Amino acid sequence: MPIGLDEIKSRLRKFATVEAAGVSPLYEHLASKASEDDDVAGLLIDARGGEARGTLLLATAHRLIQADPIHPLSRYYPSVGGFDGVDSETWPLFRSFLLERADKARSIISSRYTQTNEVRRAALLYPAVTTAAKEAGGKIALLEVGCSAGLLLGLDKYAYRYQCAGGEQLTAGPAKAAVGLHCALDLAPGAVTPKVPKKLTVTARAGLDRAPVDLTDEDELAWLEACVWADQPDRIRLLRTAAAAQGKQRPDLITGDAVDDLASAAATLPADVPLVVLTSHVLAYLGERRADFLEALKNLAGDRPLWWVSEGFYTATLEPLVPGRADLAEPAGLAVLGLVRWEGGVPDVRALARTAPHGQRMTWLPV
């Protein structure tokens, strides 16, 4: 069911002030202006239920500028070779560009989901997954819910470098990995530097998504790149590198619902191997079905050893399990790395770190 224009404008405003502020000057500016413009914001009315978000509008514009890289708007888009920062002409050019292509924009918006495979988030997930693996006795199976193209399923094949305060560095992963990730690691008061194992053994892996991305399809890959913020071309280059590396050994990606098909997707992985379920900024898209997802995880944990590694905003992930944690909710622009295991139906919840949503840094929390 489509949502109203006022709600769409409110979402655009929140995206500008919470998610893009201080991270993407271009997207902060465009989303803020779009939240005040009925014509531009109104393009999102055609989005499928729950998808009317700033990320979808801006990904649509990005896809259209990819197809027309000589348009004057392109000079603000580093992803297509632009070098100009935001100025007084940015919004008028963006507005006219998008509204002149309103039919194409509506077609994309009505048929696409926001697909994000932020490869740098693997650096956030790795310490939690290796913690789960250690508790599980070593070898694990991985199931990523909301997997998109499944690039995070290759996290055991990436190399990691964590830069700590005082110049200390932690390294992990294969020495000759095609994908190398860097992440700043701070310590909250009372926290100690986490132990990050050099190696992670994943014996089986699968992804579950309502619309998995086939990286062999050029149009699908182009949409995946369009979902990356246009003024952060390093993220696009990293996406391409990870996509090329995955091409040598593609994981099994299953089309299905995060709640209804969770058990059947898990059943494709060996039942005698402990299971780690990954989610990365996915639960926000489940809306009222978040509680159903948590219940499905709990039920699955009754059948086999299971750990849930989540990275996302507190209100969308851990709040139903550990309510009232204001320290995990503020500042609003930081997410939370969580690790949950159910024992006899009771969740053991650990908030491990506060995280920058695109994987650039994290602050480890006291246990």
Side-chain angles (χ1 to χ4, degrees), residues 36-205:
E36 302 168 352
D37 190 300
D38 288 0
D39 292 332
V40 174
L43 294 172
L44 283 172
I45 288 176
D46 291 318
R48 291 187 263 195
E51 291 298 308
R53 300 173 182 273
T55 47
L56 180 59
L57 178 71
L58 294 167
T60 297
H62 195 185
R63 184 69 188 96
L64 292 172
I65 200 69
Q66 286 175 336
D68 190 5
I70 62 172
H71 189 279
L73 179 64
S74 67
R75 72 175 192 259
Y76 300 105
Y77 277 67
S79 60
V80 292
F83 291 98
D84 288 4
V86 171
D87 60 29
S88 61
E89 295 183 26
T90 309
W91 172 250
L93 276 171
F94 178 88
R95 186 181 191 276
S96 61
F97 174 83
L98 203 53
L99 293 180
E100 286 167 4
R101 294 158 180 79
D103 289 344
K104 291 182 179 179
R106 290 191 184 96
S107 177
I108 294 172
I109 287 168
S110 64
S111 62
R112 289 286 191 179
Y113 295 109
T114 303
Q115 292 280 9
T116 53
N117 248 205
E118 179 50 72
V119 181
R120 289 189 301 183
R121 288 179 185 157
L124 306 176
L125 296 166
Y126 186 84
V129 174
T130 52
T131 297
K134 182 179 179 181
E135 294 175 2
K139 299 178 180 179
I140 59 167
L142 277 180
L143 173 62
E144 185 187 3
V145 178
C147 64
S148 188
L151 297 180
L152 291 179
L153 287 167
L155 58 78
D156 58 316
K157 301 173 183 177
Y158 302 155
Y160 303 94
R161 187 177 300 275
Y162 298 94
Q163 185 67 49
C164 306
E168 180 187 4
Q169 290 187 345
L170 305 177
T171 59
K176 296 182 179 180
V179 176
L181 302 174
H182 298 258
C183 180
L185 175 61
D186 301 322
L187 299 179
V192 297
T193 304
K195 294 181 180 180
V196 182
K198 298 287 187 182
K199 183 180 179 181
L200 172 66
T201 302
V202 178
T203 62
R205 68 198 80 212

